[in-house]
Amino acid sequence: EAQVTQNPRYLITVTGKKLTVTCSQNMNHEYMSWYRQDPGLGLRQIYYSMNVEVTDKGDVPEGYKVSRKEKRNFPLILESPSPNQTSLYFCASSLGTGNSYEQYFGPGTRLTVT
Amino acid sequence: GENVEQHPSTLSVQEGDSAVIKCTYSDSASNYFPWYKQELGKRPQLIIDIRSNVGEKKDQRIAVTLNKTAKHFSLHITETQPEDSAVYFCAASISGQAGTALIFGKGTTLSVSS
């Protein structure tokens, strides 16, 4: 089954404790992206990647890191989480660039930083 | 930076009525405009998209119109049904160093009452 998976789905952590949210897709998609969703603010892009080793900042990259060492995986790293990073995070992938192809979203990861 | 404005933020209609959601964008180079629907507790899913070389696109009860000169595009839902109740996001493409990204509007919560 073609899908985008994220782990963990739910996470409660404390300020400053490094964490990684994994994202994997099995559709051989080139384009992958991370978004955060907050009430009243919609979906805001954190980072995106066109292919292996090619990444760029989105709207709200501060406090986040990403890597794209393999085509199928695009982990999101929070080196020192803070309470303002409490949010619902979505990973997405698409066949080509974001301007022509449907983005398939993962199920979401709800992160709470205390 | 580039942005997408979406209105209204909430919309309530009676079953069978039409619903219209409007978005404006700032980047004149944007050339791809998708609409996503997010049901409660679920991930966003593409419902329709339009490219800059097309003025209107229809898919059953859903249509999207684009006015590139005015930099705005709209989603039209006819004969609304309770299952149309969801949050709808518009988006516009922008170009970055790693390819093309999507900027999303803040969303419209549509409620269809029977």
Side-chain angles (χ1 to χ4, degrees), chain B residues 6-25:
Chain B
Q6 183 172 347
H7 298 281
S9 57
T10 60
L11 180 58
S12 296
V13 300
Q14 291 285 323
E15 183 177 2
D17 289 349
S18 294
V20 180
I21 302 171
K22 300 182 179 181
C23 290
T24 59
Y25 60 97

Side-chain angles (χ1 to χ4, degrees), chain B residues 46-60:
Chain B
L46 180 74
I47 54 171
I48 195 167
D49 56 14
I50 192 168
R51 301 185 189 185
S52 59
N53 58 346
V54 176
E56 183 176 0
K57 184 177 179 180
K58 283 186 178 180
D59 183 3
Q60 299 183 333

Side-chain angles (χ1 to χ4, degrees), chain B residues 7-82:
Chain B
H7 298 281
S9 57
T10 60
L11 180 58
S12 296
V13 300
Q14 291 285 323
E15 183 177 2
D17 289 349
S18 294
V20 180
I21 302 171
K22 300 182 179 181
C23 290
T24 59
Y25 60 97
S26 59
D27 185 0
S28 56
S30 295
N31 59 9
Y32 176 65
F33 308 91
W35 286 87
Y36 284 80
K37 175 184 179 182
Q38 185 180 28
E39 296 176 353
L40 190 62
K42 297 191 176 180
R43 70 193 78 183
Q45 290 189 298
L46 180 74
I47 54 171
I48 195 167
D49 56 14
I50 192 168
R51 301 185 189 185
S52 59
N53 58 346
V54 176
E56 183 176 0
K57 184 177 179 180
K58 283 186 178 180
D59 183 3
Q60 299 183 333
R61 296 185 297 107
I62 294 173
V64 57
T65 58
L66 171 65
N67 183 328
K68 282 226 75 179
T69 303
K71 289 194 283 188
H72 68 71
F73 56 112
S74 301
L75 178 71
H76 304 253
I77 305 174
T78 59
E79 300 173 24
T80 54
Q81 301 167 3

